[in-house]
């Protein structure tokens, strides 16, 4: 179960690109191409309504997902309140709420 | 021609009887099944209200909407007339036909097909009580239907004449059903005309009959034409449940359920079915949808949604690509609450419903105050709104506290709109406790999204006010006064405040105290969506921009000096594309508030001291 | 050259670095430049700046170097004269000013400069609402005027500098990089440390784009000699507390956690925006900006839709002062070459 992974203990020590499963990430980029525009500025996390209390970091979660570590942060996604502020501030126009939705969809599938 | 006894059984009535039997049994079975699917609450309402005045009201509504099509008339008189011809005309033909049979036979127990094929049984020479009047009325309503048919044919080929830019495409079953429907009345008309022969019933069938009899062997043609008429009815009745014309019986049932007060806010399969199948697929919702008209997205409109549900091909991508602005709800002649339906169906694709929000344990109690001000998440991206509210409330001498953005949670409406009902409930529970811990007498919010949520889903024991209502109250009670400026303003109705919560007048009254309001082409119920809607999780930035640019064009058309709105999302979205200054209503008030030198009560004290 | 043509001057529109450099070059090439300046004073944005990156050279000094030779040669500079439009004329070019005056010139260098991004459009930063939020332009002007900022050094413990305000931001409609803000932010951070030695200075950035000569060195200097802190995270929101202090929210992207900080005052590094002049370019820029578009073909980068009008400086896109001056010279030379080729025909 993905829920048993803690936030910090489950992180792998390195990103071994050769061994990671990139299918989920590729699918995500396919379904929501705007995610490619992310420059990792952190505006989304900075404005996030859930972040101050929960430490939820959408930028990091989505980056790990794109690196091929799809399952590692799934429990994190459950902190999101879906308020939409992230999408409102993103300087690159990434449809972040759809990215959230799709990440969950891909993991659950 | 001679009269045939009404107890005879001509063979051509068989198709009609089979059709009638089929549709009666089918509808009965289906409606009972749906009623069985109602939840407990729905069943209770059903039982409680069936024998009340509400039923009478429903009958009235059925008459006005299902028969006369009042709402369609308002949209386009020609389109309304066309529908009225079919619905009201047909209804009258059935009703008068029945009365005619009763008048003729003196009994009410005549076989059901006698009224339908009356002119086969009774020759024009045979007179009975008011037979002339009956003949006349039957002809009159037949003519009415035929005129509607003419318009319908016109609409098929030139839909713009009837005020529709986009219309729906029929599927194969729809086309067959339509063909049978169109065949019914011309067939009846010809059959009756031929049956009247050279004698004639009334002005329409009589005259035509005489004309036909003058050059055709009408005697031999009568039975074949009754067959055509009967088969047309048969075809229509058999196909109806599987076509868009299912809306005719369903809409009637839906109006009754609606009037009996069945709760639409619940996920209620039974009721949902009645609503979905009430859609006539008329396509009125297409022209009002900005996703279609501005962004060219044509697969997500209300008609597509109901069609996809009926055919079981609803896809997530389309379902989530909707601004939930409610413009289609306003336009729908049946009054289907599409946004609510979509919200419920989105539940099938809800992925955040298990969110526990464990980090939101128990709220730290809020500071005590009379008024508690909840700016909303989006207001923190537009801090001028909160700052203006604080300035105004301080000047008005209100006892208020602002709920800090790190203490409160999201109101839950974005979760609810995305179908995550359970998750929304958890956010509601948290915020509700937090708000009530302030022991406030009133909750004020600047965000229409939060406002709608508080009003409809929080069940708060204290009044909830949008800041436009609240500021108007302050102005009306003399707590604040505004300097009226030479300022031309256009007001933009936010979706959740206007169509969503029916707050149209308060913001306008307030703005009129600060300047002059000039109307745009899209006011009140007809207001456009800014495109920034939180209801849509699929739309891309480019499509949003198209919608916003069009809105800004429309708002700027009357050349105002200021665009005023009452929603932080609208404000940000509009400001991005507008060269005219955009302000929230609170900012307009704060900018034009008249400074009070002496508070009234202080003045009184001062005067009493002098005495 | 015919007599008829020599009797007309060459118009230079704008007296900023690009316009002044062009006028100087035209003068050196034997032409007679006349300068039109929309504002009351000459120098364009340069007249408002304090010290220039990367060497902290006084802006006034540079301006004097540019304008001195022109004054000496009695070049006519018409201030408060806005050029509305230009069209071809038998003498070369007919220039019409906003007041309706018509001047004939044999050619023109268009160097109308840029406009600063109006920071109020970035609502979440509260510019215009919070008294302790300034723009980079405000800081330059205050320093140029008084040599100080209106904050008492005893009160200033922490200063925030926000990069990319109005640049690289689809939400305000500017997707391009304004190019100079990063280095300007590094320069202003050092200036802040000079003014408030005991305060901490934090620069919040999404990328540092320090491409010019001496820029990277200044960055190192800011880190080592001035202890400026660089935090990688674009600031999401600023809020004002009751004391007027600024509460900042961002993500510290390098540690991957949300971050908040209280700041005594904040400087917004505002970007550059263009002004479109339809008679100069028919094409729209690929980035959707309002800068004047030009043929991006390496050799004709000063050309416009009119053959005897050359375009130069920051009206073409974000530009440093040095680049604007070089572009002004280049435009002057391109115009000179064109006029010679016409005379030979």
């Amino acid at each position: 179960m993905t829920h048993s992974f803690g936030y910090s203990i489950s992180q792998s020590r390195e990103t071994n690109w050769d061994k990671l499963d990139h299918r989920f990430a590729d699918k995500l980029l396919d379904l929501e191409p705007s995610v490619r525009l992310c420059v990792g500025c952190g505006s989304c996390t900075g404005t996030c309504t859930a972040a101050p209390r929960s430490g939820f970091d959408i930028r990091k979660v989505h980056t790990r997902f794109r690196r091929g570590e799809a399952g590692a942060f799934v429990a994190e996604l459950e902190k999101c309140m879906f308020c939409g502020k992230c999408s409102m501030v993103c300087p690159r126009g990434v449809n972040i709420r759809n990215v959230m939705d799709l990440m969950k969809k891909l993991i659950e599938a | 021609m001679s009269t045939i006894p009404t107890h005879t059984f001509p063979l051509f009535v068989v198709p009609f009887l089979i059709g009638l039997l089929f549709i009666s049994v089918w509808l009965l079975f289906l409606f009972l099944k749906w009623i069985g699917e109602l939840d407990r609450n729905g069943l209770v309402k059903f039982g409680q209200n069936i024998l009340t005045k509400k039923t009478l009201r429903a009958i009235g509504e059925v008459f006005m909407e299902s028969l006369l099509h009042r709402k369609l008339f308002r949209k386009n008189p020609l389109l309304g007339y066309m529908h009225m011809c079919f619905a009201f005309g047909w209804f009258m033909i059935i009703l008068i036909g029945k009365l005619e049979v009763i008048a003729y036979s003196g009994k009410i127990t005549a076989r059901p097909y006698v009224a339908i094929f009356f002119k086969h049984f009774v020759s024009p020479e045979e007179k009975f009580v008011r037979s002339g009047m009956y003949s006349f009325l039957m002809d009159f309503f037949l003519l009415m239907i035929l005129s509607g048919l003419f318009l319908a044919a016109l609409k098929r080929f030139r839909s713009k004449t009837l005020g529709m830019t986009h219309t729906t495409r029929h599927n194969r079953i729809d086309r067959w059903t339509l063909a049978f429907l169109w065949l019914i009345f011309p067939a009846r008309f010809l059959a009756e005309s031929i049956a009247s022969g050279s004698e004639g019933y009334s002005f329409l069938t009589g005259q035509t009959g005489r004309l036909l009899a003058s050059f055709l062997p009408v005697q031999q043609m009568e039975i074949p034409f009754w067959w055509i008429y009967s088969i047309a009815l048969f075809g229509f009745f058999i196909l109806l449940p599987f076509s868009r014309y299912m809306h005719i019986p369903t809409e009637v049932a839906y109006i009754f359920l609606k009037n009996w007060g069945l709760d639409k806010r619940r996920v209620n399969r039974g009721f949902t079915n009645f609503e979905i199948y009430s859609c006539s697929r008329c396509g009125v919702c297409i022209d009002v949808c900005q996703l279609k008209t501005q962004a060219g997205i044509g697969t997500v409109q209300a008609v597509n949604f109901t069609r996809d549900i009926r055919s079981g091909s609803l896809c997530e991508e389309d379902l989530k690509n909707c601004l939930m602005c409610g413009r289609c709800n306003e336009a729908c002649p049946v009054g289907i609450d599409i946004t609510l339906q979509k919200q419920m169906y989105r539940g099938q694709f809800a992925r955040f419903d298990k969110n526990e929000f464990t980090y939101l344990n128990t709220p730290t109690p809020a500071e005590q105050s009379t008024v508690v001000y909840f700016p909303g998440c989006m207001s923190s991206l537009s801090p001028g709104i909160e700052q203006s509210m604080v300035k105004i409330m301080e000047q008005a001498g209100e006892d208020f506290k602002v709920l800090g953005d790190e203490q409160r949670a999201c109101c839950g409406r974005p979760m609810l709109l995305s179908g995550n009902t359970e998750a929304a409930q958890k956010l509601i529970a948290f915020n509700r406790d937090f708000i009530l811990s302030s022991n406030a007498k009133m909750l004020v919010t600047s965000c229409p999204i939060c406002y709608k949520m508080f009003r409809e889903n929080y069940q708060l024991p204290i009044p909830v006010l949008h800041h436009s209502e609240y500021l108007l109250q302050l102005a009306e009670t003399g707590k604040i006064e505004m300097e009226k400026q030479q300022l031309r303003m256009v007001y933009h109705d936010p979706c959740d405040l206007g169509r969503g919560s029916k707050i149209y007048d308060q913001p306008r009254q307030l703005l009129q105290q600060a300047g002059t309001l000039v109307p745009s082409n899209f006011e009140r119920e007809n207001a456009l969506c800014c495109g920034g809607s939180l209801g849509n999780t699929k739309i891309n930035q480019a499509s949003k921009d198209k919608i916003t640019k069009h809105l800004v064009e429309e708002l700027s058309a009357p050349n105002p000096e200021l665009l005023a709105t009452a929603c932080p999302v609208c404000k940000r979205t509009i400001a991005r594309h507008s060269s005219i200054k955009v302000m929230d209503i609170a900012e307009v008030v704060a900018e034009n508030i008249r400074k009070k030198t002496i508070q009234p009560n202080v003045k009184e004290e001062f005067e009493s001291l002098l005495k | 050259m015919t007599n008829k043509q020599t009797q007309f001057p060459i118009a230079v529109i704008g007296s900023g670095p690009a316009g002044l450099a062009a006028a100087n070059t035209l003068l050196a090439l034997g032409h007679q430049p006349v300068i039109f300046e929309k504002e009351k004073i000459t120098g364009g944005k340069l007249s408002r700046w304090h010290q220039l990156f990367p060497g902290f050279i006084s802006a006034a000094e540079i301006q004097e170097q540019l304008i001195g030779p022109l004054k000496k040669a009695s070049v006519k500079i018409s201030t408060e004269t806005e050029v509305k439009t230009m069209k071809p004329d038998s003498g070369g070019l007919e220039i019409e000013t906003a007041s309706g005056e018509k001047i004939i010139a044999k050619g023109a260098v268009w160097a109308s400069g840029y406009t600063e991004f109006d920071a109020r459009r970035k609502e979440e930063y509260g510019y215009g609402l919070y008294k302790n939020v300034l723009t980079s332009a405000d800081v330059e002007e205050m320093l140029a005027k008084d040599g100080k900022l209106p904050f008492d050094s005893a009160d200033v413990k922490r200063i925030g500098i926000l990069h990319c305000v109005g640049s690289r931001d689809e939400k305000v409609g500017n997707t391009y990089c304004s190019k100079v803000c990063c280095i300007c932010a590094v320069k202003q951070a050092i200036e802040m440390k000079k003014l408030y030695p005991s305060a901490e200075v934090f620069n919040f950035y999404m990328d540092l784009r320090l491409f010019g000569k001496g820029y990277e060195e200044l960055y190192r200097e800011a880190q080592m000699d001035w202890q400026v802190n660089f935090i990688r995270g674009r600031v999401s929101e600023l809020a004002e507390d009751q004391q007027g202090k600024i509460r900042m929210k961002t993500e510290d992207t390098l540690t991957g956690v949300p971050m908040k900080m209280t700041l005594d005052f904040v400087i917004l590094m505002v970007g550059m925006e263009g002004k479109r002049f339809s008679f100069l370019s028919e094409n729209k820029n690929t980035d959707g900006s309002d800068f004047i578009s030009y043929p991006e073909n390496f050799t004709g980068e000063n050309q416009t839709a009119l053959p005897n009008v050359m375009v130069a400086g920051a009206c073409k896109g974000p530009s440093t002062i040095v680049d604007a001056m070089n572009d002004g010279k280049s435009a002057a030379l391109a115009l000179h070459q064109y006029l010679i080729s016409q005379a030979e025909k």
Side-chain angles (χ1 to χ4, degrees):
Chain A
M1 257 312 274
T2 42
H3 284 258
S4 60
F5 286 94
Y7 187 91
S8 52
I9 46 164
S10 74
Q11 288 183 36
S12 52
R13 294 212 174 92
E14 62 169 10
T15 301
N16 187 341
W17 194 268
D18 304 336
K19 289 199 173 150
L20 289 165
D21 182 355
H22 299 283
R23 282 173 306 172
F24 288 139
D26 292 345
K27 193 87 189 141
L28 177 69
L29 297 180
D30 209 32
L31 292 169
E32 182 54 68
S34 74
V35 74
R36 289 177 186 275
L37 288 168
C38 176
V39 289
C41 71
S43 300
C44 43
T45 302
T47 202
C48 177
T49 309
R53 269 171 296 199
S54 65
F56 175 49
D57 191 323
I58 167 67
R59 181 202 56 79
K60 189 164 147 189
V61 170
H62 123 273
T63 312
R64 298 298 292 244
F65 191 95
R66 281 177 68 185
R67 294 288 179 270
E69 296 170 88
F73 284 84
V74 69
E76 278 294 294
L77 294 176
E78 310 212 325
K79 293 175 177 172
C80 174
M81 302 193 203
F82 231 58
C83 72
K85 273 177 86 185
C86 48
S87 303
M88 287 292 278
V89 300
C90 177
R92 283 292 180 121
V94 178
N95 187 358
I96 301 171
R97 288 199 308 164
N98 195 32
V99 174
M100 295 284 307
D101 205 12
L102 289 172
M103 285 197 292
K104 208 117 198 255
K105 180 180 180 175
L106 292 168
I107 292 168
E108 284 169 5
Chain B
M1 263 177 236
S2 59
T3 301
I4 299 161
T6 54
H7 53 79
T8 51
F9 188 83
L11 220 53
F12 61 73
V13 305
V14 172
F16 161 74
L17 280 179
I18 295 173
L20 187 67
L21 188 71
F22 171 78
I23 194 164
S24 308
V25 172
W26 184 271
L27 288 182
L28 195 70
F29 165 75
L30 204 62
F31 287 179
L32 284 176
K33 180 171 160 262
W34 290 346
I35 288 166
E37 280 172 21
L38 289 176
D39 61 5
R40 241 190 71 80
N41 181 285
L43 283 171
V44 168
K45 284 265 167 66
F46 191 91
Q48 272 174 354
N49 294 321
I50 196 159
L51 291 176
T52 61
K53 259 201 316 231
K54 288 174 181 168
T55 306
L56 288 175
R57 208 170 56 204
I59 293 171
E61 196 181 329
V62 167
F63 188 76
M64 292 310 289
E65 299 302 341
S66 301
L67 295 182
L68 297 185
H69 287 88
R70 185 178 51 171
K71 274 192 204 138
L72 263 185
F73 256 105
R74 261 187 240 144
K75 178 177 160 65
N76 181 309
L78 221 51
L79 198 67
Y81 174 77
M82 177 195 120
H83 281 80
M84 186 194 80
C85 287
F86 276 102
F88 184 64
W90 200 350
F91 174 76
M92 289 310 279
I93 279 192
I94 295 169
L95 186 74
I96 296 168
K98 204 77 203 164
L99 294 174
E100 192 179 21
V101 173
I102 295 167
Y104 170 72
S105 63
K107 291 180 287 191
I108 45 170
T109 51
R111 298 181 180 192
Y113 55 81
V114 177
I116 310 299
F117 303 93
F118 187 69
K119 290 186 171 72
H120 168 72
F121 296 101
V122 182
S123 84
E125 297 116 58
E126 196 168 344
K127 301 290 175 219
F128 49 93
V129 187
R130 294 208 178 92
S131 58
M133 181 197 77
Y134 285 119
S135 291
F136 173 79
L137 285 176
M138 290 301 271
D139 267 19
F140 175 78
F141 285 109
L142 185 61
L143 182 66
M144 184 179 194
I145 296 175
L146 290 173
S147 71
L149 189 64
F150 173 75
L151 284 176
L154 199 68
K155 174 181 167 249
R156 276 294 122 207
F157 301 112
R158 291 194 44 169
S159 56
K160 281 209 173 105
T161 325
L162 282 92
M164 291 171 77
T165 322
H166 302 100
T167 182
T168 49
R169 216 177 289 146
H170 286 54
N171 63 25
R172 203 187 302 155
I173 293 181
D174 287 342
R175 273 201 296 274
W176 275 104
T177 321
L178 184 72
F180 283 122
L181 177 63
W182 282 15
L183 187 62
I184 292 172
F185 293 97
R188 180 184 171 121
F189 166 58
L190 288 172
E192 287 190 344
S193 297
I194 290 163
S196 82
S198 53
E199 326 297 332
Y201 289 100
S202 188
F203 68 98
L204 181 69
T205 47
Q207 294 301 336
T208 319
R210 252 172 239 131
L211 185 73
L212 293 177
S214 66
F215 64 94
L216 287 172
V218 288
Q219 293 282 358
Q220 287 82 11
M221 285 165 65
E222 188 193 334
I223 301 299
F225 270 93
W226 286 124
W227 268 101
I228 296 173
Y229 176 47
S230 181
I231 288 169
L233 285 167
F234 165 81
F236 182 67
F237 287 153
I238 294 287
L239 291 179
L240 180 131
F242 315 104
S243 74
R244 58 162 69 189
Y245 302 98
M246 180 62 185
H247 83 89
I248 300 167
T250 318
E251 188 187 338
V252 175
Y254 168 63
I255 289 173
F256 278 96
L257 294 181
K258 199 169 68 177
N259 278 286
W260 290 334
L262 266 72
D263 194 356
K264 289 205 267 185
R265 259 166 295 169
R266 291 158 192 274
V267 182
N268 199 331
R269 297 267 331 155
F271 190 50
T272 304
N273 282 331
F274 278 106
E275 203 167 19
I276 295 293
Y277 281 86
S278 293
C279 170
S280 64
R281 304 207 61 237
C282 64
V284 167
C285 48
I286 304 175
D287 280 345
V288 296
C289 181
Q290 290 163 270
L291 286 176
K292 173 71 191 175
T293 57
Q294 303 309 317
I297 301 167
T299 53
V300 302
Q301 283 67 33
V303 271
N304 305 84
F305 168 71
T306 55
R307 179 200 60 199
D308 292 347
I309 291 176
R310 291 192 207 177
S311 64
S313 59
L314 187 65
C315 85
E316 184 182 350
E317 202 67 25
D318 287 344
L319 179 61
K320 290 186 174 177
N321 196 350
C322 170
L323 298 162
M324 307 291 262
C325 70
R327 280 173 59 81
C328 52
N329 292 352
E330 289 294 332
C332 180
V334 187
I336 302 174
D337 196 338
I338 285 290
T339 44
L340 197 59
Q341 289 282 355
K342 284 195 173 178
Q343 188 180 307
M344 291 195 280
Y345 272 88
R346 282 177 179 186
Q348 295 179 2
F349 305 102
R351 301 201 176 82
F352 294 89
D353 241 1
K354 297 282 179 303
N355 286 18
E356 287 298 337
F357 307 114
T358 43
Y359 57 91
L360 292 177
N361 297 324
T362 38
T364 42
E367 292 174 276
Q368 305 297 296
S369 62
T370 318
V371 177
V372 59
Y373 173 58
F374 191 103
C377 300
M378 289 299 170
S379 296
S380 52
L381 294 176
S382 204
I385 298 173
E386 184 183 322
Q387 211 185 45
S388 302
M389 283 300 289
V390 169
K391 179 185 162 188
I392 297 164
M393 290 191 281
E394 274 171 357
Q395 283 227 14
E398 292 282 279
D399 170 35
F400 72 96
K401 283 284 175 323
V402 181
L403 293 185
D405 59 352
E406 288 187 12
Q407 296 162 290
R408 58 182 159 78
C410 169
C411 69
R413 183 151 170 81
M415 271 293 184
L416 193 71
L417 280 172
S418 60
N420 295 284
T421 317
E422 297 290 311
Q425 285 305 328
K426 286 166 205 155
L427 294 173
I428 290 171
F430 175 84
N431 275 329
R432 196 173 181 277
D433 287 352
F434 182 48
I435 291 163
L436 293 180
S437 71
S438 70
N439 289 316
K441 303 279 173 291
M442 185 195 286
L443 171 65
V444 178
T445 179
S446 284
C447 178
I449 302 162
C450 303
Y451 175 67
K452 188 172 165 68
M453 194 70 181
F454 290 147
R455 277 218 325 197
E456 294 179 4
N457 300 76
Y458 271 60
Q459 273 103 36
L460 287 165
I462 54 171
V464 181
L465 274 78
H466 180 255
H467 70 321
S468 58
E469 295 174 277
Y470 173 67
L471 294 177
L472 187 66
Q473 272 190 14
L474 291 183
E476 278 172 349
T477 51
K479 286 185 176 168
I480 54 168
E481 270 177 58
M482 275 174 275
E483 232 41 272
K484 196 174 166 94
Q485 308 289 334
Q486 290 286 353
L487 186 67
R488 281 165 55 87
M489 295 179 281
V490 164
Y491 174 68
H492 165 71
D493 287 284
C495 298
D496 273 354
L497 190 66
R499 280 182 296 272
S501 307
K502 308 284 174 239
I503 304 288
Y504 295 113
D505 295 319
Q506 292 89 330
R508 288 182 166 78
Q509 287 169 16
L510 203 55
L511 287 170
Q512 261 149 358
Q513 298 186 24
T516 314
L517 266 183
V518 285
S520 73
N521 286 330
F522 294 88
E523 296 268 322
R524 301 175 74 94
E525 292 86 352
N526 195 26
L528 294 166
C529 173
C530 71
S533 162
L534 294 176
N536 194 326
T537 49
K538 292 289 175 185
I539 190 171
N540 62 29
Q541 192 66 47
S543 298
K544 271 189 195 177
D545 287 346
K546 284 180 193 158
I547 289 169
T548 315
K549 277 181 185 158
H550 170 242
L551 167 69
V552 170
E553 257 169 48
E554 285 295 342
L555 295 179
S556 312
N559 271 322
E561 293 151 280
L562 182 73
L563 305 181
T565 188
C567 168
V569 181
C570 293
K571 189 194 165 196
R572 267 182 82 89
T573 314
I574 297 170
R576 193 176 159 214
H577 292 287
S578 174
S579 52
I580 300 169
K581 197 174 178 194
V582 187
M583 281 171 99
D584 184 86
I585 202 157
E587 295 171 304
V588 178
V589 172
E591 199 160 89
N592 299 301
I593 199 164
R594 190 177 288 161
K595 278 235 162 77
K596 280 187 196 165
T597 41
I598 306 171
Q599 294 278 330
N601 51 344
V602 179
K603 201 176 162 192
E604 276 164 34
E605 266 176 51
F606 186 63
E607 277 165 5
S608 66
L609 275 176
L610 281 179
K611 280 172 196 164
Chain C
M1 272 185 236
T2 63
N3 283 336
K4 197 191 166 199
Q5 269 191 319
T6 43
Q7 71 193 25
F8 294 119
I10 291 178
V12 175
I13 291 91
S15 71
L20 292 178
N24 273 300
T25 311
L26 290 167
L27 199 61
L29 292 166
H31 297 280
Q32 182 203 341
V34 289
I35 301 175
F36 296 93
E37 171 58 54
K38 192 173 81 174
E39 302 297 328
K40 271 191 185 143
I41 50 162
T42 56
K45 299 276 191 295
L46 183 61
S47 65
R48 292 159 57 201
W49 296 166
H50 174 50
Q51 289 178 330
L52 307 179
F53 56 77
F56 295 93
I57 298 169
S58 149
E61 218 170 275
I62 300 295
Q63 200 186 326
E64 194 42 49
Q65 282 176 24
L66 284 167
I67 217 154
L70 299 175
K71 276 189 179 156
K72 218 161 147 192
S74 309
V75 169
K76 193 182 168 210
I77 304 180
S78 314
T79 50
E80 293 181 86
T81 311
E82 188 183 350
V83 173
K84 264 269 151 315
T85 181
M86 300 193 291
K87 58 177 187 244
D89 178 84
S90 58
L93 201 63
E94 186 193 276
I95 297 167
E96 194 183 337
T97 65
S99 57
E101 201 189 339
K102 283 181 180 147
I103 301 116
I104 306 295
K106 58 185 173 183
V109 173
W110 188 275
S112 60
Y114 67 96
T115 46
E116 278 149 26
F117 172 76
D118 179 359
R120 285 173 302 185
R121 275 164 57 197
K122 196 85 194 132
E123 273 185 83
E124 56 266 45
Y125 293 163
Y127 181 68
L129 294 173
Y130 310 153
K131 65 180 196 303
N132 293 342
V133 175
L134 309 172
T135 66
S136 44
D138 295 340
V139 169
E140 289 294 333
E141 267 183 273
M142 286 169 182
L143 292 180
K145 205 160 151 255
D146 312 318
K148 59 178 192 217
L149 297 182
F151 306 107
D152 189 12
S153 53
D155 299 336
V156 178
K157 305 268 182 307
R158 223 178 266 150
I159 302 162
I161 297 180
L162 275 50
H163 293 225
C164 295
V165 177
S167 308
R168 302 181 68 199
D169 186 350
E170 198 166 285
K171 295 286 148 74
V172 296
N174 296 340
T175 52
Y176 54 86
C177 166
S178 285
K179 213 162 127 178
V180 301
C181 332
C182 277
I183 181 62
C184 185
V186 172
K187 185 208 70 152
Q188 289 195 352
I190 294 172
E191 285 172 332
M192 289 307 112
K193 282 299 280 191
K194 287 178 182 168
L195 282 172
Y196 305 102
S198 61
E200 292 176 289
V201 177
F202 292 86
N203 279 41
F204 297 95
Y205 67 96
M206 21 189 218
D207 292 302
L208 282 177
R209 296 184 167 177
L210 297 161
F211 53 88
K213 185 167 166 56
Y215 292 7
E216 188 70 16
E217 285 63 34
L218 195 68
Y219 175 27
R220 291 169 65 105
E221 187 186 324
Q223 290 175 301
M224 278 306 288
D225 301 346
W226 301 99
Q227 297 87 40
V228 176
N229 302 289
F230 288 86
I231 292 179
R232 193 189 173 280
R234 183 175 170 276
V235 171
S236 308
E237 285 168 36
L238 298 178
E240 192 182 39
D241 71 10
Q242 268 135 3
Q243 289 79 46
K245 289 192 191 304
I246 305 297
R247 280 184 288 124
M248 183 276 322
K249 275 169 82 179
T250 186
E251 183 202 354
D252 180 2
T253 59
L254 299 184
T255 60
V257 281
M259 181 187 218
K260 55 185 177 183
M261 191 189 278
T262 306
L263 299 158
D264 296 294
F265 72 88
V266 167
I267 305 172
L268 309 177
M269 304 305 301
V270 287
M272 298 185 180
E273 287 188 328
K275 318 171 214 176
R276 254 177 78 79
F277 297 92
S278 55
F279 57 91
L280 288 174
S281 63
E282 285 118 11
N283 306 326
K284 237 183 144 36
N285 289 295
T286 44
D287 60 9
S289 70
D290 284 336
F291 292 106
I292 297 166
S293 63
Y294 56 92
E296 290 170 51
N297 59 2
F298 294 87
T299 53
E301 304 228 337
N302 296 107
Q303 285 168 8
T304 67
L306 300 170
N308 53 351
V309 178
M310 299 295 160
V311 65
C315 59
K316 291 160 67 182
S319 166
T320 65
I321 290 169
V322 175
D323 287 349
M325 284 166 60
N326 287 340
D327 204 37
K329 290 176 199 164
S330 154
L333 212 50
L335 183 60
H336 176 71
Q337 281 173 336
Y338 172 77
L339 291 173
I340 286 174
S341 72
Q342 287 302 103
E344 281 167 356
K345 267 182 196 167

